[in-house]
Amino acid sequence: MNDTTPEIEQKVREMIMSRSGEERFIMGARMFSAAREMILASLPKDLSSDERKKLLFERVYGIPWSSLGIQ
């Protein structure tokens, strides 16, 4: 679903692209960190550290941990 008008979408894009590469990189890193924290907060609290890491990986990258062939 996209309820943003093309004019506003273009304005936001221009605002973001007017920032330096460093600023855009930092914005992306902060968004990733926020998403990571939301995912971790949604996981059951009684998981082991390894289980939490595997589920975090699966939710971020959308592929099963087992598909990597790592144990």
Side-chain angles (χ1 to χ4, degrees):
M1 178 178 147
N2 184 352
D3 61 354
T4 306
T5 65
E7 296 82 17
I8 296 300
E9 195 171 311
Q10 180 63 29
K11 180 68 174 169
V12 170
R13 179 171 172 69
E14 288 170 4
M15 289 170 51
I16 291 171
M17 295 310 290
S18 71
R19 294 176 181 254
S20 70
E22 179 183 7
E23 289 173 311
R24 292 193 313 267
F25 176 81
I26 291 169
M27 286 173 59
R30 286 180 178 161
M31 287 187 280
F32 183 82
S33 292
R36 182 181 183 280
E37 291 304 316
M38 286 187 273
I39 293 168
L40 289 172
S42 75
L43 298 176
K45 304 300 178 216
D46 60 343
L47 297 174
S48 71
S49 176
D50 285 345
E51 290 172 319
R52 291 177 69 75
K53 289 176 186 177
K54 288 176 185 178
L55 286 175
L56 175 63
F57 173 88
E58 290 176 358
R59 291 201 187 167
V60 169
Y61 297 105
I63 59 172
W65 177 263
S66 59
S67 71
L68 301 176
I70 301 171
Q71 299 212 352

